[in-house]
Amino acid sequence: MPSPRSARLIAVVTVMTSLAVSAPYGTAAAALADTTSAEGSANARTEAAGGSARAGVLDKEPTTLTELRREAQKAYKSIEDANRVLVARQKKFGAVEKELATKLQGLQQATAELNKLRKPLSDLASSLYQDPSLDGLSPFFRAGNGTETLRRIADLDHLVAGRNNVLGDAVKLLERQQQLAQEAQELRAASLLQEAQLSAQVTALRKRSTTLVRSLTKALIKLGVKIGDGRAGGCDPTRIGQAEQYPNGLLPKSILCPLPQAGEELRADAAIAFADLNIAYKKRFGASMCISDSYRNLGEQQSIYYRRPGFAATPGKSNHGLGLAVDLCGGVQSFRSVQFNWLEANSKRYGWIHPDWSYHSPFEPWHWEYDPKLGAQL
């Protein structure tokens, strides 16, 4: 059994080798908990974003142009939603990593402060070791007034108390470090897994969207739409957002889709809906709809405005300049003709309308417009 002095020195050495101090990790734990919760919510939003597109795969495959257009847009929208969730998750995890880095920096600062606290204990241990009068318990039984004995007892109490406090802090710090490391590891693993799942889902959605657009293009070509080299992109309904970014009358050829009648074109969603409507019209009347005008660039709109005052919208204000309107012939231009009445009764099923103003001011039975909001509901 070691002597009392050896026991005291062992205690001092233990203290000196175990010294550390606990840092305030409560905020980090809360941040990690919040982030873990946010990861679960983000995953739920991702499932919701991709659910509609997956449902499209499980349901019967689209058969009409409108269904193809709708499913392609749905898949594209799900891609955008999934990407937003992924960016939000990466941003939140980055904030947690920054918080962890701050806590580790705080740990280093706390360790430096602890080194200052170690010195008094170190000096005390050194003085006790170097005192030749210390030999077992004899100093406590020496004759005298007891002052020296009380001083030595106080020194020992201080040493033991310091040892116990520091060891307790060291144990807490070690446990907290282990917990923090485990939480960080689990968080990172969950984040990587969810990112991989999102990436796979986005890839599947993009593949489905591409397949639908390709099928849509083939169907339009089969119907006689002249989609030449470099024009297929104009019939891609997932690109209508790009068309909306251009000023009225300044849409480039690359985002305009040809119509069954050569030389006429509209933006993708309107052109696809018109082609679908034309199929029904042809079944009823045995011929395609006759188009006298469709998309007009700014120069064409200005020319018509000056040639036919009161019968053309102000340049820059016409739906023709947005690629969303057509002027029809072949009987439709005659108010209350069989063709007009049929189109009036059936066009809304394809997103096309005869606007209220065209019934009276100015009176234009030949003018028909595609309503994107109505088309999105089909």
Side-chain angles (χ1 to χ4, degrees):
M1 176 179 293
S3 66
R5 185 173 72 168
S6 298
R8 290 195 299 273
L9 291 176
I10 291 172
V12 172
V13 172
T14 302
V15 170
M16 301 306 294
T17 57
S18 305
L19 288 178
V21 69
S22 178
Y25 286 97
T27 305
L32 282 166
D34 290 343
T35 304
T36 302
S37 175
E39 291 294 322
S41 299
N43 188 56
R45 290 195 303 273
T46 301
E47 292 297 321
S52 59
R54 288 195 298 273
V57 177
L58 295 176
D59 294 341
K60 66 176 183 178
E61 289 300 312
T63 56
T64 68
L65 295 176
T66 299
E67 289 175 349
L68 282 168
R69 186 264 304 166
R70 180 193 61 203
E71 290 301 319
Q73 288 178 307
K74 187 188 298 183
Y76 185 77
K77 177 63 165 56
S78 295
I79 293 172
E80 293 181 323
D81 291 342
N83 279 328
R84 279 194 291 268
V85 172
L86 179 59
V87 170
R89 176 178 294 125
Q90 291 172 337
K91 183 178 179 181
K92 184 172 286 292
F93 185 77
V96 174
E97 284 188 320
K98 184 177 180 181
E99 178 73 11
L100 291 176
T102 300
K103 293 306 177 182
L104 291 176
Q105 184 179 3
L107 175 61
Q108 293 177 348
Q109 294 175 351
T111 301
E113 291 295 324
L114 181 60
N115 288 334
K116 297 179 182 178
L117 299 177
R118 293 174 59 187
K119 193 172 185 309
L121 291 176
S122 177
D123 293 342
L124 176 59
S126 177
S127 66
L128 289 174
Y129 182 79
Q130 295 175 4
D131 190 344
S133 65
L134 285 177
D135 184 16
L137 298 177
S138 60
F140 300 104
F141 296 101
R142 249 181 226 155
N145 58 12
T147 302
E148 183 65 18
T149 300
L150 291 175
R151 184 183 68 79
R152 293 181 184 279
I153 291 175
D155 289 343
L156 288 175
D157 287 342
H158 176 69
L159 180 62
V160 172
R163 169 190 176 279
N164 290 338
N165 289 337
V166 173
L167 285 179
D169 288 343
V171 170
K172 292 178 181 178
L173 177 62
L174 179 60
E175 292 175 350
R176 187 59 197 154
Q177 283 178 322
Q178 291 174 343
Q179 180 182 354
L180 186 62
Q182 182 179 356
E183 289 175 348
Q185 184 176 5
E186 291 175 353
L187 175 62
R188 186 57 178 164
S191 178
L192 290 174
L193 176 60
Q194 291 168 0
E195 285 183 19
Q197 292 172 339
L198 263 179
S199 178
Q201 183 176 328
V202 168
T203 299
L205 288 168
R206 186 174 288 113
K207 182 178 179 181
R208 174 159 178 77
S209 180
T210 300
T211 300
L212 289 166
V213 171
R214 189 178 296 116
S215 299
L216 188 55
T217 303
K218 289 180 179 179
L220 289 172
I221 293 174
K222 189 175 181 180
L223 291 171
V225 177
K226 305 297 183 182
I227 302 177
D229 294 339
R231 295 302 304 275
C235 297
D236 183 349
T238 66
R239 298 180 62 194
I240 58 175
Q242 297 179 28
E244 293 172 346
Q245 296 175 7
Y246 289 94
N248 189 304
L250 295 177
L251 276 61
K253 284 281 187 182
S254 60
I255 59 172
L256 288 170
C257 181
L259 296 177
Q261 184 169 314
E264 305 298 338
E265 54 194 4
L266 295 172
R267 82 178 205 183
D269 51 346
I272 293 166
F274 185 87
D276 218 6
L277 174 60
N278 186 59
I279 293 174
Y281 184 93
K282 192 172 183 179
K283 287 181 180 179
R284 171 64 179 82
F285 295 103
S288 295
M289 284 188 286
C290 173
I291 308 170
S292 59
D293 206 357
S294 54
Y295 169 72
R296 294 181 195 146
N297 61 37
L298 196 58
E300 292 170 337
Q301 185 66 29
Q302 287 175 337
S303 177
I304 294 176
Y305 180 74
Y306 291 123
R307 285 188 290 107
R308 300 183 62 194
F311 285 90
T314 304
K317 301 293 184 179
S318 172
N319 270 10
H320 284 281
L322 298 175
L324 296 174
V326 293
D327 289 343
L328 300 178
C329 44
V332 179
Q333 78 280 8
S334 299
F335 187 63
R336 290 307 169 203
S337 66
V338 177
Q339 293 87 345
F340 180 94
N341 288 341
W342 182 92
L343 202 59
E344 185 182 52
N346 294 278
S347 62
K348 289 184 179 180
R349 294 165 49 197
Y350 301 88
W352 283 87
I353 62 171
H354 189 54
D356 291 338
W357 62 262
S358 61
Y359 282 94
H360 49 82
S361 180
F363 179 60
E364 294 187 9
W366 55 82
H367 181 89
W368 296 77
E369 297 178 354
Y370 178 73
D371 184 349
K373 292 183 179 180
L374 178 60
Q377 296 173 5
L378 300 178

